[in-house]
Amino acid sequence: MRSPSNRLTSAVFAVLTLTATLMFGTPASAADTAGVKVDTAKSRPAKVASARFAAEGRAAGLDAGQARALQGEVNLYLAKYGKAARQVSFNTIALKGADIHVAVPGEAHPRGIAGTYCAYKWFCAYEYEYQNGSDIHMYDCGVTWYIPWFTTGSWVNNQTPGTRPLLTFTDGSTWRMPGAYAQQLSGVGWSPVSSIVPC
């Protein structure tokens, strides 16, 4: 049986331990330290991807300034689309059922992409008129994609014959677009457009 003085000492020690924990948190354990090492290792794939994208840009003829400007544009799209977007090449972002091809600022078309080509069964929206600038090529039905531009652009509907995309404006109104094959190569004001469901 403990003496009263031992009980008092144990109680004081417990209070001091609790106070220290509340003030400073629990000490790092070996497991905590191991966790930090694992988190550091997780950043390696991002570094590898970044190096690969840089190499792809050089192979496409980009100088260092163009590569930085292009990656800046890519980063803006990634920020706008959030978790739905993933960079898969130096100038391409994958979405669910769509791809964004990003042009080097000041260039007419994304490098390595046939600027005026919209594949069969796809709906293609372009940042600028006459299929210029960056583009979003949509190929999955039933997926709604936000339009990020405030420019005057263009679009091509090269889906199966008669397929009609649904365009939604920022005021909530909608427009059932012309059935494939159809296109509007100039005068498309993207500012009032919220999103498009290709089919």
Side-chain angles (χ1 to χ4, degrees):
M1 181 173 177
R2 291 185 180 181
S3 67
S5 62
N6 284 344
R7 285 185 193 154
L8 181 60
T9 302
S10 296
V12 169
F13 180 75
V15 169
L16 291 173
T17 301
L18 178 61
T19 303
T21 300
L22 291 173
M23 290 177 64
F24 304 110
T26 55
S29 66
D32 293 333
T33 305
V36 171
K37 289 178 183 174
V38 169
D39 289 342
T40 302
K42 284 180 182 176
S43 68
R44 287 188 195 133
K47 290 179 181 177
V48 170
S50 180
R52 178 170 64 84
F53 299 153
E56 289 173 356
R58 286 192 297 274
L62 299 181
D63 63 31
Q66 290 172 320
R68 280 193 301 273
L70 175 60
Q71 189 59 51
E73 288 290 301
V74 169
N75 290 346
L76 289 174
Y77 282 101
L78 292 172
K80 286 176 182 177
Y81 284 93
K83 293 180 181 178
R86 181 173 55 92
Q87 185 174 0
V88 294
S89 79
F90 76 105
N91 67 348
T92 303
I93 296 167
L95 304 170
K96 180 186 174 188
D99 293 323
I100 300 174
H101 305 114
V102 184
V104 175
E107 292 190 356
H109 306 290
R111 293 278 180 107
I113 307 293
T116 59
Y117 180 69
C118 183
Y120 180 55
K121 296 187 178 180
W122 294 50
F123 175 87
C124 304
Y126 299 87
E127 183 178 13
Y128 298 116
E129 294 180 301
Y130 303 104
Q131 297 168 271
N132 286 319
S134 299
D135 60 62
I136 303 173
H137 288 197
M138 306 174 191
Y139 53 87
D140 270 3
C141 289
V143 181
T144 303
W145 284 114
Y146 155 74
I147 298 297
W149 305 308
F150 299 93
T151 53
T152 301
S154 50
W155 56 262
V156 173
N157 181 9
N158 194 20
Q159 300 179 91
T160 54
T163 302
R164 301 181 67 189
L166 180 67
L167 183 148
T168 300
F169 294 97
T170 54
D171 66 2
S173 62
T174 60
W175 175 48
R176 185 61 74 175
M177 301 174 77
Y181 181 88
Q183 63 181 16
Q184 185 176 342
L185 298 182
S186 64
V188 179
W190 290 126
S191 294
V193 175
S194 173
S195 62
I196 294 176
V197 180
C199 48

